[in-house]
Amino acid sequence: MTAPAINRLFIAGRWTDSVSGATFESVNPADTSDVVGRFQAGTAADVAMAVAAAADAMPAWRATPAPKRGELLYRFGALMAEHKERLARAMTREMGKVLAEARGDVQEGIDIAFLMAGEGRRMFGDTVPSELPDKWAMSIRQPVGIAGIITPWNFPIAIPCWKMMPALVGGNTVVFKPSSDAPHCATLLVELMEEAGFPAGVINLVTGSGAEVGDAIVANPDVRVISFTGSSHTGRHIAEQAGRRLKRLSLELGGKNAVVVLRDADLDLAVDGILWSAFGTTGQRCTACSRVIVDRHIHDELVSRLTARTQKLRLGSGLDESVDVGPLVNAAAVDKVDRYVAIGRREGDLVAGGERATGATLDKGHFYKPTIFAGVRPMATIAQEEIFGPVLSVIPVDGYDEAMAAANGTHYGLSASIYTRDVNTAFRAMRDFEVGIVYVNAGTTGAETHLPFGGWKDTGNGHREAGHVALDTFTEWKAVYIDFSGKLQRAQIDNQPG
Ligand code: NAP
């Protein structure tokens, strides 16, 4: 067997070893004997060099006209499209999601690259009338500075692109720390950014642990904005560190997303949407459906249809196109799911799954059977805490008001969905869900990159990714007044009586 490739950090336009001299492995979660590669265990000293490179690159990059910056994003998006299949296969091998979903993940990266490339020619501010004569008033966006980008493993191409594309078109330079479970995808991405022609120092990659590399990025005084996606636990820690330093911070955190199924729903459609949302990416999406809140009258019927379909799902390596559900990302994730399933056995009726999946090929990886608990109470632990695996709780309720109270009765607020044929009820739900993303007659996943993405409550801190509002994280507003009257004019004074 050949030794796995050793990958490097990317600092100031050069691929370089960490000063630590240490590396770590990334392994295929579907077959843990398959080592994807070795990666540099970066340190605070590496981060300091990356930040210095980003600072050196900043003046020329912010002075580059935004449409020109956008052209590099177009080139990068085109390269991703050209390499889509290679990137998707690398992703499936590294973090496990099935190939069709990995292609979708890359496509999200392409979409946001093109969307933000266009922002290079828009980046609208306001031009408004002044309250005084012969005076011009407008607002413009300017870069914040160096952006620290810290990402999870579950969308290892899409999420880094969602953050880096608006940062770069906005004129910021970047220090990027990917998840230690997906450093290969990050490396491939940065290789394509280098090929696209981003100037040296504009994008810097430092792999390594969250405690070492992530903390050093957050603590560095020259990093002015942090964009983080990951668990609420890590997000809280980063918020405390960043808050003390008055840094701008965008947080995209956990979820406990619900599908509401009312009595008038199209049940076949609901079953399709629930299965796709609950067990796609093996339940490891931030928008995964982990709760189905169903009118009591149709609870048993829905559970029986869901169970029948779940038992037919095929588990295996996502590289096999006939597989429906890939592995969990690592052994710790399997243990966590198993702990929650043990709790679930006391909180609901186990109707599907409930154990590790074993067998000749499955024994090589981190597989868990898609699991359903029926008859769960809204406040049960499995209905409240983010499990981040293929575990679904079905919660019976009486009518719309109780369904909405249950749906909103969590600390999280990312996405929610309702199945109903009544247009009035659908509009009430659009108004009543306390979440950032609502679906009607579709599951809880499937965001498109030109709309805002993010959540309420503990899912975040009020910022949004994607859509043109993504620029808000990475730009400062500047209000500009030009007085061409040739005399002193005092706002709120010279134009008021008395
Ligand atoms: P995680 O454990 O919080 O890790 C996320 C990133 O933070 C990783 O790069 C990690 O590095 C880094 N990190 C860990 N400790 C850190 C520290 N002390 N300082 C700075 N960075 C640190 O989350 P995950 O397991 O990768 O991702 C799953 C979570 O992400 C779920 O909760 C999911 O809901 C959430 N998520 C949310 C969204 C959204 O948009 N709302 C989207 C996707 C995922 P290491 O890998 O080296 O530990």
Side-chain angles (χ1 to χ4, degrees), residues 368-404:
Y368 207 93
K369 290 186 181 168
T371 298
I372 302 178
F373 289 101
V376 177
R377 286 175 304 101
M379 298 312 287
T381 304
I382 55 167
Q384 286 291 318
E385 297 183 10
E386 189 186 46
I387 301 173
F388 222 55
V391 182
L392 182 65
S393 297
V394 185
I395 302 167
V397 291
D398 292 308
Y400 174 88
D401 290 339
E402 216 178 294
M404 196 49 68

Side-chain angles (χ1 to χ4, degrees), residues 143-197:
V144 178
I146 299 170
I149 304 290
I150 304 176
T151 56
W153 48 267
N154 66 334
F155 281 84
I157 298 280
I159 290 179
C161 289
W162 279 26
K163 297 178 183 306
M164 289 197 281
M165 296 301 106
L168 293 170
V169 82
N172 306 274
T173 56
V174 162
V175 176
F176 168 31
K177 182 235 152 339
S179 163
S180 300
D181 281 308
H184 182 49
C185 289
T187 304
L188 297 177
L189 206 57
V190 172
E191 281 172 2
L192 291 183
M193 295 178 94
E194 182 188 20
E195 193 178 335

Side-chain angles (χ1 to χ4, degrees), residues 224-276:
R224 289 308 315 155
V225 50
I226 304 286
S227 179
F228 170 80
T229 298
S231 62
S232 296
H233 175 77
T234 310
R236 267 203 185 85
H237 169 75
I238 290 178
E240 285 165 15
Q241 306 300 313
R244 278 215 300 276
R245 295 169 173 90
L246 297 179
K247 284 191 189 194
R248 186 180 299 201
L249 172 66
S250 162
L251 297 172
E252 294 297 340
L253 310 175
K256 194 72 193 172
N257 313 294
V259 169
V260 171
V261 185
L262 297 182
R263 266 176 104 169
D264 68 341
D266 176 338
L267 273 197
D268 287 333
L269 190 64
V271 167
D272 282 344
I274 292 165
L275 288 175
W276 168 239

